[in-house]
Amino acid sequence: EVQLVQSGAEVKKPGESLKISCEGFGYRFSNFWIAWVRQTPEKGLEWLGIISPSDSETRYSPSFQGQVTISVDKSINTAFLQWSGLKASDTAMYYCARHVAKRSPFDYWGQGTQVTVSS
Amino acid sequence: DIVMTQSPDSLAVSLGERATINCKSSQSVLYRSNNKNCLAWYQQKPGQPPRLIIFWASIRESGVPDRFSGSGSGTDFTLTISSLQAEDAAVYYCQQYYDTAMYSFGQGTKLEIK
């Protein structure tokens, strides 16, 4: 069974760093891109970026370029999303999702990681 | 960037009736190489991640009931639920995956049971 399992909820202070994870099960991890998507009540679903586990090719949304870093460790079937200086506006639910090609839908999603940034 | 606009923002439909949700893209999402529209629909229930239900505008994902159907081409798309069931209450999102430098979603349509 295909699963994407994300790390648990986080509560952080502004300025702190954070790295959340997304581990793939039940499929050949290197054969699928991993996307990161943010969800907030105000802006809905927003795409942050994607990474190819096979060669680490990464693309970012212009809105999030420089704000987050996406990485992958294919030896442990895990993708990561990290921040070096969190802001209150980063408070959101973050999802990872897989897709087989750049021009394809996101067919499996992780359960989500709630990130709360508050002083 | 391709902007996706859904209508309506919310609707209430009686059990057994038809529900229709529209999605309009600011530019065509028809991929000439395979003559398919790069348009997906997702269903999201409270506390759950989005679930893919339709892709390439009209293909049902495995396990999705056949009361769900997608149609449209170019810039105008529709998700139809032919006979609404209680478990269909959810928020529905369209997404374009034509622009691989900037995937984008509609704002969502909340479907409630009347």
Side-chain angles (χ1 to χ4, degrees), chain B residues 49-94:
Chain B
R51 172 198 178 197
L52 176 67
I53 57 173
I54 299 283
F55 59 99
W56 298 121
S58 62
I59 300 177
R60 263 190 314 276
E61 175 72 325
S62 175
V64 174
D66 61 7
R67 63 180 179 272
F68 289 88
S69 63
S71 62
S73 184
T75 61
D76 292 279
F77 302 91
T78 300
L79 173 69
T80 301
I81 308 172
S82 60
S83 178
L84 194 70
Q85 304 298 303
E87 61 266 31
D88 301 335
V91 179
Y92 292 85
Y93 297 92
C94 62

Side-chain angles (χ1 to χ4, degrees), chain A residues 19-87:
Chain A
K19 191 173 188 178
I20 63 175
S21 65
C22 169
E23 185 175 2
F25 294 89
Y27 72 99
R28 191 176 296 272
F29 189 72
S30 291
N31 286 5
F32 290 77
W33 291 77
I34 294 289
W36 286 96
V37 176
R38 182 172 89 168
Q39 185 170 35
T40 61
E42 301 78 24
K43 295 190 175 182
L45 295 168
E46 299 175 280
W47 173 72
L48 280 69
I50 54 173
I51 190 164
S52 168
S54 64
D55 61 5
S56 296
E57 178 185 346
T58 310
R59 294 189 172 188
Y60 292 94
S61 161
S63 301
F64 293 95
Q65 177 86 46
Q67 308 303 309
V68 297
T69 301
I70 295 171
S71 59
V72 68
D73 184 343
K74 64 182 179 183
S75 70
I76 55 171
N77 292 350
T78 302
F80 302 95
L81 178 66
Q82 69 181 85
W83 297 258
S84 58
L86 286 160
K87 306 170 214 169

